[in-house]
Amino acid sequence: MPRYTTKTWAVLGIGLYAAVLVFFIARSVNGALTQPGNSDWVAFAVGSRLLHAGSCLYCTGPQLAATHAMGLYPGDGINPFVSLAPIAFVFEPLGLLPPTQGIPATLVVCGILCAIGVAFTARLLPHDWSPANRVFGALLSAGSLVGSVAFLQWQWAMLIVLLSSYVLQRRGSAFASGVVLSLLLVEPQVMWLALPMLLAARQWRTVLGFAVGAVGWLAVSVALVGPAEVLRWPGFVVDSHVGDAFRGMGLPATAAAIGNSGTAAVWSSALLGVAGCVLAYLLRDRLRAFPSHALALGVVLSLVAAPHVYAQDLTLLTLPVVLIASRRGNAAMLVMLGLSVVTAIGFLEVPNVLRLLPEVELVLAALVIVDLRSLYDARRTALPATLPTASRGHPVPVG
């Protein structure tokens, strides 16, 4: 029998995972092309067309009319545009195209963003990993199956934004990091608990940058559609999403399914949010010492506790993987592999298995907390080597 080296097994593993990934991507792309009415492109195109025409952006009637004008009839009756107005404006070059052109063009753009996200992740993974391990790690996290089930979406754009914010934070550009982080207001539910974590870590400049970015979002929205439309937006979002909360991939979706009520998802999300804030307070000293963990933990808990997240949003879990990879890389990769396995089983055979995704995410959150505590304890253990300090500022030898 031939003897296989570790490198051979690594190449085989990458090849097998890549084959499964290509299958899921092809499945998603085929669905977008053959059933354009149910494509995620529809919602963004509707927003772009209504904004371009000067119609009511957050009104059900005009949204339905715009959908039917494109010759599209979603299975649910409507695929609503619920994002802020600047998203509709940015999407106009693709959204104003007819569906036969707009959907393929958007798929190409998403493919490019996916490649950038995977390459960015590979660059951030530990440099002492072999090239094969870094490629495999990037595919397992940024290229995870959870992201490929809905290829025509913007999860990789959000990932690039999140990783950029992380890099800026690590380089000491806290204000710029916060401004970049505010771009995730495109889907605020993916980072809402990052704010209390950053506040607990006393990252005032990051929070200030985020606030400036949020004001920018609001100002541009008002400039595009006027204050009345901006005030209409929250109610429209609630009406559009509360009823289908059970479709999400967070713990509140499970509550909605058990209670057969979207309201249960809202209340459970609120309770989980409070629990997240309490956790931020309890970990405040550790988070203050290692603010990158505050950002990563906030993102994980946001995805677990949000009332309306989908599988593709879990691509953002790449950040905690990158953060802890140098110390707990094997465990982090096993978690991401677990997410892919659950996704494959759930989308191909047993949909109820997808309810395990939040629990797998919680394992990753626990890894981030364990990593945070060990780093903090190691720092505290090292401090007595130079403490206490004499009145003239010179360290007093210990022991």
Side-chain angles (χ1 to χ4, degrees):
M1 291 181 62
R3 298 179 64 182
Y4 295 103
T5 64
T6 301
K7 183 177 180 179
T8 302
W9 283 114
V11 172
L12 289 174
I14 293 174
L16 177 61
Y17 186 84
V20 177
L21 185 62
V22 169
F23 167 78
F24 267 83
I25 292 174
R27 182 173 177 266
S28 178
V29 169
N30 180 68
L33 294 173
T34 59
Q35 299 178 0
N38 295 325
S39 165
D40 293 312
W41 178 85
V42 175
F44 295 106
V46 165
S48 297
R49 289 164 186 257
L50 291 177
L51 181 65
H52 185 74
S55 301
C56 179
L57 190 59
Y58 303 115
C59 297
T60 302
Q63 290 207 14
L64 277 172
T67 303
H68 297 163
M70 291 186 285
L72 301 176
Y73 298 88
D76 292 341
I78 184 174
N79 194 341
F81 176 79
V82 295
S83 301
L84 289 166
I87 302 303
F89 178 76
V90 170
F91 197 75
E92 279 190 7
L94 297 170
L96 297 182
L97 295 172
T100 53
Q101 299 176 20
I103 292 177
T106 305
L107 286 170
V108 171
V109 172
C110 290
I112 294 172
L113 291 173
C114 176
I116 294 173
V118 172
F120 196 176
T121 301
R123 186 175 180 83
L124 291 176
L125 287 173
H127 292 288
D128 58 350
W129 286 16
S130 69
N133 285 339
R134 292 173 70 183
V135 170
F136 196 18
L139 287 175
L140 274 176
S141 47
S144 175
L145 295 188
V146 294
S148 62
V149 296
F151 195 78
L152 204 159
Q153 261 287 357
W154 303 107
Q155 60 269 32
W156 295 289
M158 293 194 297
L159 174 61
I160 293 168
V161 166
L162 181 59
L163 292 180
S164 298
S165 178
Y166 164 72
V167 170
L168 288 169
Q169 183 192 59
R170 293 295 294 267
R171 291 179 177 176
S173 303
F175 180 82
S177 173
V179 173
V180 171
L181 186 64
S182 71
L183 294 175
L184 290 183
L185 285 172
V186 61
E187 288 194 22
Q189 69 271 25
V190 302
M191 46 70 62
W192 62 298
L193 287 178
L195 289 180
M197 292 291 169
L198 290 170
L199 287 171
R202 294 189 176 182
Q203 294 298 294
W204 311 126
R205 293 176 61 193
T206 302
V207 175
L208 177 60
F210 181 88
V212 170
V215 171
W217 273 99
L218 181 62
V220 174
S221 297
V222 171
L224 288 172
V225 296
E229 280 290 284
V230 174
L231 291 174
R232 188 194 300 272
W233 173 67
F236 185 78
V237 172
V238 172
D239 291 340
S240 299
H241 284 329
V242 169
D244 67 349
F246 62 91
R247 297 182 181 180
M249 296 298 170
L251 287 179
T254 303
I258 294 174
N260 195 27
S261 168
T263 305
V266 176
W267 280 107
S268 60
S269 179
L271 291 174
L272 289 170
V274 171
C277 292
V278 172
L279 179 63
Y281 177 78
L282 295 175
L283 296 175
R284 61 193 184 280
D285 292 335
R286 295 174 173 85
L287 295 175
R288 195 178 309 157
F290 300 96
S292 292
H293 285 70
L295 178 60
L297 184 59
V299 170
V300 179
L301 295 181
S302 295
L303 294 169
V304 172
H308 194 269
V309 292
Y310 290 123
Q312 63 268 18
D313 296 323
L314 305 189
T315 303
L316 298 185
L317 295 175
T318 299
L319 173 60
V321 171
V322 166
L323 178 66
I324 68 175
S326 61
R327 295 169 298 276
R328 289 170 174 79
N330 290 337
M333 292 304 162
L334 282 175
V335 170
M336 297 308 292
L337 182 60
L339 286 173
S340 290
V341 170
V342 171
T343 299
I345 295 173
F347 278 92
L348 295 178
E349 293 293 336
V350 188
N352 286 337
V353 171
L354 295 174
R355 296 297 178 201
L356 295 176
L357 287 176
E359 285 77 2
V360 180
E361 294 172 66
L362 286 174
V363 175
L364 186 57
L367 287 176
V368 174
I369 293 174
V370 170
D371 192 66
L372 172 65
R373 294 184 64 180
S374 63
L375 288 174
Y376 182 76
D377 291 343
R379 173 179 287 189
R380 291 189 66 187
T381 302
L383 284 178
T386 57
L387 292 179
T389 302
S391 60
R392 293 185 179 181
H394 301 291
V396 175
V398 176

